[in-house]
Structures are given as structure tokens and as C-alpha cells.
Amino acid sequence: MPKEPEQREFIQSLERGLAVILAFSDHHPSLTLSRCAELTGLSRPTVRRVLLTLQQLGYVRSEGRSFALTPRVLALGYAYLSSLNLPVIAQPWMEELVAETREACSLSTLDDTDIVYVTRVATHRRPSVALATGTRLPAHATAMGHVLLADLPKGELDHYLARAELAPLTARTVRTPEELLHRLDAARAQGWAMVEQELEEGLRSVAAPVRGADGRVIAALGMSASVASADEETMRERFAPMLVRAGAEISERLGADFSPCRHPERSAGDETMTIREDS
């Protein structure tokens, strides 16, 4: 019997590849061939071929007898972000933040060990570093990077730590995996992150998450200011709550069913955990 037109156009190998990728999750960050076959309903030989192909393409890595996803799969999500036109959705809130604070506002995503600027609303002041769409900065030294890293599943975070070079860009930059993990725990607990002159001397920054429909962090909304224009208290007590609220509103537009700012009237500085106590 001849196949229907829809069936003739259907690529089964692509379906199987996507099924294998989607088998990985927070509950299954690492899978053996047998477990992956069980979760997908595919045969072991088929799963083996798919995993080896994904490994060769850089989307999967082997861990002994198990396999795990690599950060490269995030590129698949970037296509989704583009289809959502995230920068356009976020633009009104970013412009409002800039108008109220007179500081630049940026939106970034995570790519391997860097953050990548998706869009930026600048002020009339000339920044010390040229920042534009596509600019890459090391995640470990930025507030937006901390927000993005804090949401990674343990397997992906472990892989990041194995690959990342925690280069000391200033005397204050986080230098060890242990210190970075402590900072990420704090960012995760309080719902925002701040770094103090870790990317550049004289520059402090704060950031909050933007979540997709599945609740996962897909971008970070951040602001930076010179130590002369905004002190640490201003960043914590004023800028951080504003970013958290804006991030929550953008997330709701993206379909996220959550409220990271359940008490918007509460100051970010009231949280019991802080990112860092600088002398």
C-alpha cells in the first residue's frame, strides 16, 4: 500500500534523534544505552547509533558507559528564542528600566562558557567597553552569567566547571569552582545576582532571570553601573528588585507560570543570603 503524502515526508531518523535528546532531563541527566532505550521505546542498536551521531556532532558526551548532553544543545533553544523574538518582547521593560535608572540594560543568554548579548538598551554615556548584540563575556565574572549558570542542571553545571577557565579578570574575580558554586547557590536562593568589580575595575552589575514557558531560565536581564554612579546599596535595594520584577513580567509574556518576585514590595536586600560581602 502506498504511503500517505505526510508519511512520505516524515523523517524517522530525525524523530528518533529528537526523542533521544528529550530523554535527558533533570531527573535523567546521564543515561546508559539501556535506560535511554527504555525511556524512548527505541531499540538499543538504534539508540547507540543516534547517541554516537550526536556525540560526533558535539551535542552529547560519553561518561564511561553513560551519555550526557553538552551545552551545545542550548543552540537548539536559541532558535526558539529567535522565533519568540525575545528582544522585541523585552524591549519595553528594558527601556523603562533605563529611563528610571539612567543606566544601561542588557539581555543575554548562555553559550558554552560565555554569556552572549542578545540586545542592549544603552544610555547617552559612552561605556568603557563596547557592548553590542553578539558580545561575549565570561560567565563566571558577570552577574548575568551567575543567573544563567545557577539554573543549569547539575550535569550541565559540572560540565561547565570542567571546561571553564576561571580567569582572574580583576583582583575580585571568582577564581575557584568552590567559590563559584557558593555564589551560584546564593543567586539561586535569592533570585538575582550581583558582582562587584569582577569583570572590570570600577564596575558593578546586577542581574535577574527571564524564564520560558517550561520555567527554565532562558535569558538574564542585567544592569551595570560605575562605582561612582551607583553604590552597592543602590544596586541591591533599588536596581535588583526592579530587574526581578521586569524579568518576571517578561517571563509571563513568554508563558512562564511562576512569580520569582512573589513579594515585589520586599527589597532584594532583605534576603537572608547575599552574593558577596566585599570589604
Side-chain angles (χ1 to χ4, degrees), residues 4-273:
E4 295 293 329
E6 293 81 2
Q7 293 178 316
R8 290 200 300 268
E9 300 296 329
F10 190 82
I11 304 176
Q12 191 175 52
S13 58
L14 177 58
E15 177 197 25
R16 292 170 174 173
L18 292 173
V20 168
I21 290 176
L22 294 174
F24 295 91
S25 65
D26 289 352
H27 299 296
H28 304 289
S30 180
L31 295 172
T32 62
L33 282 175
S34 297
R35 184 56 174 153
C36 190
E38 179 182 345
L39 291 172
T40 60
L42 301 173
S43 67
R44 279 174 52 93
T46 296
V47 168
R48 181 176 182 275
R49 288 195 300 271
V50 170
L51 285 171
L52 291 179
T53 299
L54 291 172
Q55 183 179 16
Q56 186 171 349
L57 293 173
Y59 292 101
V60 165
R61 68 180 186 278
S62 61
E63 299 178 338
R65 297 178 59 187
S66 299
F67 293 84
L69 297 179
T70 73
R72 175 167 283 191
V73 299
L74 295 172
L76 303 176
Y78 297 153
Y80 174 64
L81 290 180
S82 298
S83 69
L84 285 177
N85 214 353
L86 177 60
V88 173
I89 293 174
Q91 189 81 11
W93 282 277
M94 297 176 68
E95 291 178 350
E96 183 177 342
L97 286 168
V98 172
E100 292 185 17
T101 64
R102 298 186 183 277
E103 300 291 350
C105 184
S106 304
L107 188 73
S108 71
T109 56
L110 186 67
D111 182 25
D112 199 11
T113 60
D114 295 332
I115 63 167
V116 179
Y117 279 64
V118 174
T119 190
R120 178 175 171 85
V121 177
T123 63
H124 294 299
R125 295 195 300 272
R126 179 177 297 178
S128 56
V129 177
L131 298 172
T133 300
T135 296
R136 305 175 71 93
L137 295 174
H140 75 284
T142 61
M144 290 190 289
H146 288 191
V147 165
L148 293 163
L149 291 172
D151 191 65
L152 289 181
K154 184 179 183 304
E156 292 181 27
L157 183 56
D158 289 343
H159 187 60
Y160 163 83
L161 292 172
R163 290 170 53 85
E165 296 182 7
L166 305 184
L169 304 178
T170 73
R172 297 173 181 257
T173 308
V174 60
R175 297 166 184 263
T176 67
E178 292 75 20
E179 184 182 1
L180 179 58
L181 288 173
H182 175 71
R183 302 282 297 281
L184 299 184
D185 285 343
R188 196 177 300 113
Q190 66 189 9
W192 56 276
M194 188 172 85
V195 300
E196 176 75 14
Q197 304 184 69
E198 298 182 43
L199 178 68
E200 179 185 341
E201 292 288 353
L203 188 71
R204 52 172 56 105
S205 61
V206 65
V210 173
R211 298 178 183 270
D214 62 356
R216 292 289 306 275
V217 174
I218 59 173
L221 191 65
M223 303 185 74
S224 297
S226 69
V227 296
S229 64
D231 58 25
E232 186 174 349
E233 182 178 0
T234 298
M235 300 293 281
R236 290 180 180 276
E237 302 291 338
R238 183 169 176 239
F239 290 2
M242 294 171 67
L243 284 166
V244 169
R245 284 192 289 268
E249 290 171 355
I250 296 169
S251 299
E252 290 176 2
R253 284 290 304 275
L254 296 173
D257 183 18
F258 87 113
S259 178
C261 191
R262 286 181 289 273
H263 303 286
E265 71 281 358
R266 182 181 62 189
S267 168
D270 292 338
E271 300 289 347
T272 57
M273 295 189 72

